[in-house]
Amino acid sequence: MTTYLITGGNTGIGLSTGIALARDGGRVLIACRSAAAGEAAVERIKSASGSDDVRLLPLDLASLSSVRDCAAAFLALDEPLHVLVNNAGIGGQRGISADGFELHFAVNHLGHFALTHLLLDRLGASGPGARVVNVSSEAHYSAPGIDFAAVQRRTATFAGAREYAVSKLCNVLFTQEFARRSAETGVTCYALHPGVVASDIWRRVPRLARPFITRRMLTTEQGAVTSVYCATSASVAGDTGLFYDTCAVKDPSPVATPELAARLWKYSAEWTGLG
């Protein structure tokens, strides 16, 4: 049986991904911040998939201490980990993390960087074909680069759009550098754009305006398709470090260079004490 760990599996694309993977016979663990929302999601996945092999782990990606606790809780289960789906994310918010990093950068990139490293040995020991799937976004094309001073400050823009784009660029860069550094481990890594999805990421948009903004967007089930593809498809088993859109390889932003990826890795490793 394949074991999957999905961050943000309590809602949106993550929840739909969990249902699809459980329905396909996988053992699914979801990791999220809210215990109540997480337990409700576990029951929903069980009901929708017909599987009882679904569990919850607490995780707050804005806290590196919580990330370490989540990884320790998974490792204490003494189970294999075949696929880590780094799905959780925020958008349109302002703030700073418990560790002093811009909120989008902390949640969308740095927490996942730490979690992946803490679970890497278990991924590598779980047999050939282990995978890391990073849910990025086409928004990364609008990021001009990374200001490594700015990611250590509170969100500067009013709606956080610039910071969100940077965090999604970080997902692509992390995927590329992980692939270069992990070639000998057998663990492959994928980044993807799920499509423009009517998910909970839009929950801070005023309620009356929300239907007009989301009406032409994909459903969360449609948005989960490329995540499931990267997590399970035999056709990508020999690939790593690539960016996918609609289950097909697509060139990432030209800003996503090996040099920038190496710098991001260096800083991320220093800031988390890992890597």
Side-chain angles (χ1 to χ4, degrees):
M1 179 181 289
T2 303
T3 300
Y4 302 91
L5 174 57
I6 307 168
T7 68
N10 60 304
T11 189
I13 298 168
L15 177 61
S16 292
T17 300
I19 290 171
L21 296 174
R23 187 178 287 146
D24 197 41
R27 175 184 293 116
V28 172
L29 295 95
I30 62 171
C32 69
R33 185 174 56 181
S34 168
E39 292 293 355
V42 166
E43 294 308 313
R44 185 170 173 186
I45 294 171
K46 287 180 177 180
S47 175
S49 67
S51 170
D52 286 328
D53 211 347
V54 185
R55 281 177 282 177
L56 173 67
L57 291 174
L59 171 65
D60 180 358
L61 286 161
S63 164
L64 291 173
S65 175
S66 175
V67 172
R68 294 185 187 97
D69 288 346
C70 179
F74 178 85
L75 294 174
L77 297 174
D78 198 26
E79 293 186 4
L81 177 59
H82 302 102
V83 182
L84 171 62
V85 183
N86 289 322
N87 162 86
I90 60 167
Q93 300 187 37
R94 304 183 76 236
I96 195 163
S97 76
D99 304 285
F101 297 97
E102 193 283 318
L103 199 56
H104 295 86
F105 179 81
V107 172
N108 297 353
H109 166 66
L110 199 63
H112 283 130
F113 177 93
L115 183 65
T116 303
H117 277 279
L118 291 164
L119 297 176
L120 184 56
D121 287 347
R122 182 61 53 87
L123 282 160
S126 297
R131 306 181 185 191
V132 176
V133 178
N134 296 317
V135 179
S136 180
S137 169
E138 66 178 5
H140 88 276
Y141 290 105
S142 67
I146 304 172
D147 182 336
F148 288 101
V151 299
Q152 299 178 77
R153 298 191 295 264
R154 185 180 179 85
T155 313
T157 62
F158 177 73
R162 182 178 67 198
E163 290 85 355
Y164 175 78
V166 169
S167 72
K168 295 290 110 177
L169 174 62
C170 290
N171 295 153
V172 173
L173 292 165
F174 173 50
T175 299
Q176 294 174 342
E177 188 68 10
F178 181 97
R180 283 188 280 271
R181 290 172 177 260
S182 302
E184 303 302 318
T185 69
V187 181
T188 53
C189 193
Y190 313 85
L192 65 98
H193 170 55
V196 181
V197 180
S199 70
D200 280 356
I201 199 170
W202 304 102
R203 64 186 177 274
R204 293 183 180 268
V205 173
R207 186 176 299 276
L208 291 177
R210 203 176 306 156
F212 298 97
I213 293 174
T214 61
R215 64 182 176 177
R216 295 185 183 276
M217 294 181 181
L218 302 177
T219 65
T220 58
E221 290 79 12
Q222 292 169 324
V225 168
T226 305
S227 293
V228 173
Y229 174 78
C230 289
T232 65
S233 175
S235 65
V236 302
D239 299 328
T240 188
L242 303 179
F243 179 71
Y244 292 79
D245 185 354
T246 322
C247 300
V249 175
K250 185 176 181 180
D251 288 336
S253 167
V255 173
T257 63
E259 293 77 18
L260 185 57
R263 289 188 69 203
L264 175 64
W265 188 285
K266 173 180 177 293
Y267 282 114
S268 299
E270 289 177 2
W271 292 334
T272 60
L274 299 164

